Amino acid sequence: MAQVLEFKLPDLGEGLTGAEIVRWLVEVGEVVAVDQPVVEVETAKAMVDVPCPYGGVVTARFGEEGAEVPVGAPLITVAVDGPADDDGRPAGEQRSATDGPRADGSRADDSRAQAPRSEGSGNVLVGYGTSEAPARRRRVRPGQSAPSAPATPAASTANGRAAAAGGRAPASLRARTAGTVDEPVPVISPLVRRLARQNGLDLREMAGSGPEGLILRADVEYALRAAGTQTGRDRTPTTEPHPRVPPTQAPAQAPSQAHAPAAGAPAAPEATRIPLKGIRGVMADKLSRSRTEIPDATCWVDADATELMRARDAMRRFAEERPQNPVTGGPKISVLALLARICTAALARFPELNSSVDMAAREVVRHPAVHLGFAAQTERGLVVPVVRDAHTRNAESLTAEFARLTEAARTGTLTPAELTGGTFTLNNYGVFGVDGSTPIINHPEAAMLGVGRIVPKPWVHEGELAVRQVVQLSLTFDHRVCDGGTAGGFLRYVADCVEQPAVLLRTL
């Protein structure tokens, strides 16, 4: 007999608590191999293909595309070859409390055989393995491609409901008692739950017309029509094979009726609610925590970046003239890479800003290496990839790493390790055409340097008024790690290097 195993969303690492289903890679009834990816999910860190550690026939999928799934929630069930116990259940299945009494009045035996240990899969994510088969929650339904256990009286009352073939469940089984309020509701689709919640329907009072009593969207819509919540539509004849809501539920529809527009009156526009989830949800939590915990301050200065831009152009021309030279040839040097190199030099002079605060120990933790984060705007939201050991890289190496991480951010392939562990952040908001900003520190770091756009402006140069390339620099810092003198010294050194890049030669 087939044994049905439940595969749950594993811990994907870095303390993530859930993920959003982006795309299902398998269909119900499809045969999957061990470690075959079955679903593509989006976490707060990256896009991940989740492999299934079992091989067999997919018997059920839990959740629709776009739904949020917490870690530990079931993703799919897979029917694999395995022994079955006396009543036709696969070995290892535990009868839940919702099974209740059988049709003949007898109680199910609580003693069940334990599941045999299976061979572990090789493609194991953080926090999940396959050393032991999990307890089965759903069994193979008749009519599917996978072999199923023979029907028993207990099997016909799964989740405390009976679904008559091709018709409605008996009224005696649709009625709920107070003792069964806490039973799980057989609903898979979050759309069905939301539709019922918005209209005040209690799904526990309904019996679904789907397989094993599954409540479908059509069941909820029929219940709404039966309760008179959809004005201007006739009631459906009672012979329609869908469950009805008891009369006691009719008052619950009053709020929905109260908001219904009068006949002929234009409907008032409703506010749009956008869930904070995925990357946007994580950034919202981090920024809120930063504002709550960090006593930040900001200072800024304008700098003449004309010489910096000339130096970059000189590097570009030098590389173009010697494209075959393995030393001088290479990619074009970006302005961001030059600013990053200036940042690492400044942090070497002012290490207080390359630190974090441990309030539990009441200590300032000064980091020996500079792991430089940089803000990158993507279609999925704002992300901050991290360049490891930026203090050891030159301008060419920084340019190449910025390009690689930016492309990975745009395609959603950044790994959690590439999004965490930063000690200082560089925010080039000038790409949005703005001059200044007061950046929010990327918690738990202690500072962030903001760079505005570089534009021609009137500037006094060598005692005369001239048009120069001017940029505004801003530094937001944690006042617990340093005073204003240190922050001002850091920012002044950065501005000096921007105005006179030769200053960097002293520390190279």
Side-chain angles (χ1 to χ4, degrees), residues 31 34 75 95 104 115 169 172 190 201 235 240 262 298 305 349 357 401 423 427 483:
V31 178
V34 174
L75 286 176
R95 185 182 298 276
D104 60 0
S172 61
L201 285 181
R235 295 178 181 268
E240 186 174 344
T298 302
R349 294 172 66 92
V357 177
E401 187 66 1
T423 61
N427 186 1
D483 297 326

Side-chain angles (χ1 to χ4, degrees), residues 264-326:
E270 296 184 357
T272 301
R273 291 180 174 267
I274 302 174
L276 285 174
K277 59 183 181 180
I279 289 180
R280 192 169 298 276
V282 170
M283 291 305 298
D285 293 338
K286 292 194 68 174
L287 296 177
S288 299
R289 184 177 181 183
S290 177
R291 279 297 192 209
T292 302
E293 295 184 7
I294 299 178
D296 58 348
T298 302
C299 55
W300 57 89
V301 66
D302 290 340
D304 180 3
T306 305
E307 296 302 324
L308 181 69
M309 302 303 292
R310 288 176 178 173
R312 187 196 67 156
D313 292 340
M315 294 178 188
R316 175 180 56 81
R317 289 193 302 268
F318 191 75
E320 290 176 352
E321 293 170 358
R322 299 164 178 81
Q324 306 300 326
N325 192 321

Side-chain angles (χ1 to χ4, degrees), residues 319-383:
E320 290 176 352
E321 293 170 358
R322 299 164 178 81
Q324 306 300 326
N325 192 321
V327 177
T328 60
K332 295 181 180 179
I333 304 301
S334 66
V335 176
L336 186 63
L338 295 177
L339 293 170
R341 185 64 188 90
I342 293 173
C343 274
T344 58
L347 289 172
R349 294 172 66 92
F350 301 92
E352 297 91 338
L353 294 170
N354 192 51
S355 59
S356 57
V357 177
D358 184 355
M359 288 303 296
R362 300 192 66 81
E363 295 175 343
V364 174
V365 183
R366 191 171 296 177
H367 305 293
V370 178
H371 301 313
L372 186 65
F374 67 100
Q377 190 69 39
T378 68
E379 294 181 356
R380 301 168 61 234
L382 178 67
V383 294

Side-chain angles (χ1 to χ4, degrees), residues 159-161 173-178 180 183-184 186 204-206:
N159 293 325
R161 292 174 174 77
L173 290 179
R174 294 202 311 271
R176 286 280 186 168
T177 63
T180 61
E183 293 183 6
R204 296 184 180 88
E205 299 293 336
M206 298 181 61

